[in-house]
């Protein structure tokens, strides 16, 4: 292996911008064992992807991902396309001997996720990771560390929710995220996957069964005109929404503890509220992404006169990921998780170890999503995950 890792990113929309920021910034703050080189970004529209390359600092642009992944000068393929293309691109990249980073959810179906996981297992010396980036928010990682250290005792109950409101306008246009053949599912896969993964990550336990319900609140939306984006003008024609708007489900963890989940893009007034509270025999933890530099800790072992949730400002250099960043008290933001993701992937590639979350972890989350869908179709019946 050379001292460089040459990166090809497939896709260049919202997630492409976030991943580009991660690739650009990580080597400037973290002492990485290999230097990421932003070699080429790929998109279908030649003019659009050329503009993205210039804006974000990619050396070149291309329109054919199949040609790019066969290039000998490419070491890592970063996939930020809609879910219906993940499996084809990832499997081809793995078979070409490339390391792969793939955005979540891993695929649109369990069958696709299984094929991707099998391809990753068969690719000798190649690393594959799925991008559940919220694991790498320092406060969330610190919460995981506190649970693992026994600070809140035995887990008794978990509540996780991801609340957004960007679809609350019934006349918002019909984008690909609202089409099942492109996205696989709606709020469940888009943001519910994050809630499920973060709950499992922090508790160190997997969901074994679920009971859920999915609901589509607005069944038709205006179609987008040719080349019009989400913020553009929609046409007068309307098309069917084929995914869920709201997902509600309960689950049982390996220990028997109960967990409740909500994923919605209709919670008016909530912009990006990923919240999780973990209650144990000795205390509790609470995290809210809209206050991502903070973690709340409740210590039930303290005298009753001193009990109460206390705020921990997670900005100390001894907190996870924070040693190369700013002085204590200077806040991090949403984009920093992507730099941490790059750091962890590059270190794993250099060390020859499996980065987490792995494709196998992504497959498990896909099984959780599938079990929720099956449960909803069966009248919210309890449904096993694996």
């Amino acid at each position: 292996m050379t001292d460089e890792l040459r990166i090809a990113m497939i896709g260049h929309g919202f997630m492409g911008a976030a991943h580009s920021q991660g690739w650009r910034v990580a080597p400037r703050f973290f002492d990485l064992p290999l230097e990421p080189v932003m070699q080429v970004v790929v998109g279908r529209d030649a003019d659009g992807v050329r503009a993205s390359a210039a804006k974000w600092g990619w050396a070149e642009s291309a329109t054919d991902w199949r040609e790019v992944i066969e290039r000998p000068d490419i070491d890592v393929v970063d996939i930020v396309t809609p879910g219906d293309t993940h499996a084809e691109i990832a499997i081809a990249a793995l078979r070409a001997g490339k390391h792969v980073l793939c955005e979540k959810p891993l695929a649109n179906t369990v069958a696709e996720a299984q094929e991707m996981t099998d391809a990753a297992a068969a690719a000798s010396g190649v690393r594959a990771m799925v991008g559940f980036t919220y694991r790498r928010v320092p406060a969330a990682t610190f919460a995981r560390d506190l649970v693992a250290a026994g600070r809140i005792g035995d887990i008794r109950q978990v509540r996780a929710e991801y609340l957004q409101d960007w679809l609350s306008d019934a006349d918002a246009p019909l984008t690909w995220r609202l089409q099942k053949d492109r996205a696989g599912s709606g709020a469940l896969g888009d943001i519910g996957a994050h809630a499920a993964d973060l709950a499992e990550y922090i508790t160190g336990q997997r969901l074994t069964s679920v009971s859920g319900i999915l609901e589509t609140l607005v069944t038709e939306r205006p179609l987008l005109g040719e080349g019009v984006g989400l913020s553009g003008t929609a046409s007068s024609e309307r098309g069917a929404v084929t995914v869920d708007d709201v997902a509600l489900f309960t689950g049982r963890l390996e220990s028997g503890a109960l967990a409740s989940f909500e994923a919605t893009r209709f919670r008016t007034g909530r912009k990006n509220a990923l919240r999780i509270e973990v209650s144990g025999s000795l205390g509790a933890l609470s995290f809210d992404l809209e206050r991502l530099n903070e973690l709340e800790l409740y210590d039930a072992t303290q005298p009753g006169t001193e009990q109460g949730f206390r705020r921990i400002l997670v900005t100390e250099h001894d907190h996870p990921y924070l040693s190369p960043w700013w002085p204590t008290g200077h806040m991090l933001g949403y984009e920093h998780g992507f730099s941490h993701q790059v750091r962890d992937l590059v270190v794993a590639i250099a060390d020859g170890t499996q980065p987490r979350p792995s494709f196998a972890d992504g497959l498990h989350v896909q099984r959780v999503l599938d079990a929720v869908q099956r449960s909803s179709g069966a009248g919210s019946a309890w449904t096993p995950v694996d």
Side-chain angles (χ1 to χ4, degrees):
M1 184 178 296
T2 67
D3 292 333
E4 295 181 337
L5 279 177
R6 295 191 175 271
I7 317 301
M9 187 174 71
I10 318 298
H12 61 103
F14 161 50
M15 272 295 104
H19 280 232
S20 296
Q21 179 74 355
W23 289 115
R24 286 178 56 177
V25 173
R28 289 164 173 80
F29 281 85
F30 291 93
D31 185 15
L32 299 180
L34 300 167
E35 181 184 357
V37 177
M38 297 170 63
Q39 187 61 43
V40 56
V41 59
V42 184
R44 291 177 296 179
D45 176 67
D47 292 336
V49 72
R50 189 180 303 114
S52 291
K55 180 176 182 178
W56 294 109
W58 294 90
E60 57 182 296
S61 63
T63 57
D64 190 334
W65 64 263
R66 293 174 179 83
E67 289 184 359
V68 168
I69 65 173
E70 293 295 337
R71 285 172 41 170
D73 63 332
I74 297 301
D75 303 303
V76 179
V77 173
D78 184 0
I79 304 170
V80 294
T81 56
D84 61 322
T85 62
H86 285 186
E88 182 182 11
I89 298 172
I91 292 170
L94 290 165
R95 289 175 177 170
K98 314 300 182 184
H99 306 291
V100 174
L101 171 61
C102 183
E103 256 304 319
K104 50 54 58 190
L106 187 58
N108 278 2
T109 67
V110 170
E112 289 177 346
Q114 183 69 66
E115 291 176 4
M116 296 168 72
T117 303
D118 291 344
S124 177
V126 172
R127 310 300 163 191
M129 187 170 79
V130 60
F132 283 109
T133 320
Y134 294 134
R135 289 183 176 211
R136 295 178 165 87
V137 173
T141 308
F142 187 51
R144 186 277 312 268
D145 294 345
L146 291 175
V147 170
R151 289 293 300 276
I152 66 169
D154 296 330
I155 303 301
R156 290 175 170 171
Q157 190 175 351
V158 178
R159 178 179 180 179
E161 53 187 9
Y162 204 154
L163 316 174
Q164 297 177 341
D165 72 351
W166 62 278
L167 284 176
S168 57
D169 180 359
D171 289 325
L174 186 72
T175 68
W176 69 267
R177 292 185 184 274
L178 301 173
Q179 299 169 317
K180 187 175 179 62
D181 60 335
R182 301 291 309 281
S185 64
L188 176 64
D190 185 20
I191 54 180
H194 275 304
D197 179 74
L198 195 59
E200 293 189 335
Y201 174 67
I202 290 176
T203 64
Q205 299 184 38
R206 284 189 165 185
L207 289 162
T208 60
S209 58
V210 296
S211 169
I213 185 169
L214 306 177
E215 189 78 16
T216 303
L217 303 182
V218 175
T219 58
E220 290 185 344
R221 289 185 177 274
L223 297 176
L224 283 170
E226 184 69 27
V228 178
L230 178 62
S231 61
T233 303
S235 72
S236 59
E237 298 182 59
R238 302 180 77 86
V241 175
T242 52
V243 299
D244 58 280
D245 290 324
V246 178
L248 301 171
F249 63 100
T250 52
R252 195 173 292 279
L253 297 171
E254 291 168 312
S255 66
L258 285 173
S260 63
F261 298 87
E262 177 181 357
T264 176
R265 301 183 291 202
F266 273 76
R267 185 72 81 86
T268 306
R270 299 299 179 190
K271 302 306 176 184
N272 200 39
L274 172 57
R275 300 169 172 175
I276 182 167
E277 187 165 297
V278 182
S279 301
S281 57
L282 300 178
L285 288 166
S286 181
F287 169 73
D288 184 345
L289 183 65
E290 290 186 335
R291 300 170 67 181
L292 59 75
N293 291 278
E294 300 176 15
L295 181 67
E296 290 191 311
L297 172 65
Y298 182 93
D299 187 350
T301 67
Q302 295 296 309
T305 54
E306 299 175 18
Q307 288 180 0
F309 276 97
R310 64 182 178 88
R311 185 187 72 151
I312 300 171
L313 191 61
V314 186
T315 63
E316 298 290 334
H317 282 182
D318 289 337
H319 283 130
Y321 296 107
L322 282 161
S323 60
W325 291 108
W326 317 116
T328 296
H330 291 69
M331 308 302 185
L332 299 192
Y334 168 77
E335 74 279 5
H336 288 80
F338 295 92
S339 295
H340 302 159
Q341 177 172 260
V342 166
R343 181 264 177 203
D344 289 350
L345 177 60
V346 172
V347 169
I349 290 172
D351 290 348
T353 57
Q354 175 57 55
R356 302 291 297 272
S358 64
F359 273 21
D361 296 326
L363 170 61
H364 167 74
V365 173
Q366 201 73 48
R367 287 174 173 158
V368 172
L369 305 181
D370 179 71
V372 173
Q373 290 179 317
R374 288 186 285 119
S375 173
S376 181
S380 301
W382 277 96
T383 305
V385 172
D386 293 321

